[in-house]
Each structure stands twice: as structure tokens, then as C-alpha cells.
Amino acid sequence: MAVACRQILPIIILTLCLMCNNMIVEGNEPLVTVHVSIDMPAPSPCLYVTWVNCTGTWYKLTPGEEFHFTDDRTSRYVCHAMWRDKEGIWLAFESVRDRNHTKVFSSLREDGFFLSYDQSNWSKLSEWHV
């Protein structure tokens, strides 16, 4: 019995060390900041307001305004926006698609929703719907 315990004890200790190491690595994941900006012209005389919800809270934004939030990289953020008589949904952050980035930018424009990691190169994600 003592021989079996001496043989299995190193395996148990090694397993516990590996488990603790994995928890430390996962706990040190860098956070991601998701930026959402309203990049639409402000027609006169009426200044249109855009309502945006990504985190369970609705934000009332006007052209030129933005908001951002920070979270871990395991979450998924599907955002919903309403503008004039239109509404739309887009994936502002998705852990697999955006895993190599600490900043993700969403731009809401007249012709849809756009994604960028550097604010120079934009990809269209979806369009507004009536």
C-alpha cells in the first residue's frame, strides 16, 4: 500500500500544478475594449439620435459621439441600434473572430455597421433594416 501511495502521489501533485497553472494563464487574459461610434451626418434642422444597446443598457447618442466598454475576451456582444425609422443588429465582439485584438471598433453609418481593429480598415458587418 505504501509503495502505491508513493507512486501515485507525484502524479497527483503534477496534476494539481498543471491545473493551477492553467487557471493562472486563463486569469491573465488581456481585456478587450469595444468602441462604438456614431459616424453619420447630422442633418439640419433636426439632429437625429441613435439608440444603442450592447451591454443591457440603452445609450442615446448623437452623430460624432461614441461610447466604449471593457470586458474579458470570453464574452460575445451582439448590439442593437435604432436610428430614425430603422434598426439593426451587429456582432460588436466575438471571442473567436477578435481573439488577437485588445481594441475593437464599431462604426454606425448611414449604410450599415462596420468593424475595424485600427480605425483605418473597415469591414461591413450588416445593414440597417426598416
Side-chain angles (χ1 to χ4, degrees), residues 100-120:
N100 296 323
H101 304 280
T102 57
K103 292 183 181 180
V104 179
F105 299 92
S106 289
S107 174
L108 282 64
R109 304 175 186 178
E110 285 184 292
D111 58 337
F113 304 92
F114 294 80
L115 172 80
S116 177
Y117 301 113
D118 60 8
Q119 292 184 291
S120 296

Side-chain angles (χ1 to χ4, degrees), residues 6-106:
R6 279 187 278 174
Q7 291 175 342
I8 200 164
L9 187 60
I11 294 171
I12 292 172
I13 292 172
L14 179 61
T15 302
L16 289 173
C17 288
L18 290 173
M19 287 173 52
C20 290
N21 189 38
N22 285 342
M23 285 189 278
I24 291 169
V25 169
E26 288 172 9
N28 288 335
E29 280 291 319
L31 298 176
V32 63
T33 302
V34 179
H35 299 264
V36 178
S37 61
I38 309 301
D39 297 319
M40 293 182 276
S44 57
C46 182
L47 184 67
Y48 289 102
V49 172
T50 305
W51 290 90
V52 180
N53 180 354
C54 293
T55 60
T57 302
W58 284 96
Y59 294 90
K60 180 181 177 182
L61 302 168
T62 56
E65 290 186 316
E66 78 146 36
F67 78 97
H68 66 273
F69 56 93
T70 303
D71 201 349
D72 62 36
R73 291 176 172 217
T74 61
S75 301
R76 180 179 181 176
Y77 287 97
V78 178
C79 298
H80 181 209
M82 294 183 291
W83 176 62
R84 294 183 179 169
D85 61 341
K86 301 175 182 180
E87 64 179 297
I89 296 173
W90 79 101
L91 190 56
F93 180 79
E94 201 281 313
S95 59
V96 174
R97 179 192 70 192
D98 306 323
R99 70 178 166 264
N100 296 323
H101 304 280
T102 57
K103 292 183 181 180
V104 179
F105 299 92
S106 289

